[in-house]
Amino acid sequence: MIIQIFGKKSCNVTKKAERFFKERSIKFQFINIIEKVPSNKELQVITSTYPLEELLDVDKKKKKKRNLKYMVYDTEELLLENPILFKTSIIRKGSKVVLGEDMEAWKELIK
């Protein structure tokens, strides 16, 4: 089963994840989350491990720029319409998902 890395090209954690798997000769599929948001099924798999609210990057300047601190919004709708707000990287292998930089969890994925 191939590993999927949902991330942003400019994200340092995404770059670390790519390097981690390349160094171990593990094939992976990079998905630029800005260009292609996770499908409904992929999002269901991801949210079975992490609550939707954890996928929202609350420290993002983009979120502050949109004044989301003062708004009521649907998190799923917000993320799908503004994929820049996804916390990255999201690494998926089948039903297993790792959010962010967690090398120990990455090692578990390749066992």
Side-chain angles (χ1 to χ4, degrees):
M1 187 166 288
I2 194 160
I3 291 177
Q4 291 179 314
I5 300 176
F6 291 90
K8 302 168 196 151
K9 291 182 180 181
S10 61
C11 174
N12 288 330
V13 177
T14 299
K15 290 176 186 176
K16 286 180 185 178
E18 289 178 318
R19 187 171 46 250
F20 175 86
F21 292 109
K22 280 181 187 175
E23 288 173 353
R24 288 155 180 79
S25 300
I26 305 294
K27 291 184 179 183
F28 63 87
Q29 174 189 22
F30 171 74
I31 300 162
N32 187 341
I33 206 160
I34 304 299
E35 296 172 2
K36 183 182 180 294
V37 295
S39 68
N40 287 337
K41 186 174 180 177
E42 289 166 333
L43 199 55
Q44 284 177 348
V45 171
I46 294 167
T47 56
S48 69
T49 306
Y50 295 97
L52 202 53
E53 290 72 27
E54 279 189 46
L55 300 178
L56 184 62
D57 194 347
V58 292
D59 297 328
K60 264 296 189 217
K61 291 178 188 175
K62 302 273 183 190
K63 183 178 180 194
K64 291 176 185 173
K65 183 179 177 181
R66 288 176 172 80
N67 291 322
L68 296 176
K69 182 177 181 180
Y70 306 105
M71 295 175 61
V72 176
Y73 53 85
D74 177 78
T75 306
E76 182 175 357
E77 185 177 306
L78 178 69
L79 286 170
L80 295 176
E81 290 177 3
N82 303 281
I84 190 79
L85 297 175
F86 268 99
K87 191 180 290 183
T88 54
S89 63
I90 302 168
I91 301 172
R92 177 177 171 244
K93 180 181 179 187
S95 62
K96 296 178 183 178
V97 179
V98 178
L99 179 63
E101 185 178 357
D102 186 349
M103 286 195 190
E104 292 304 314
W106 296 349
K107 289 177 185 175
E108 288 295 316
L109 283 179
I110 59 177
K111 283 187 177 179

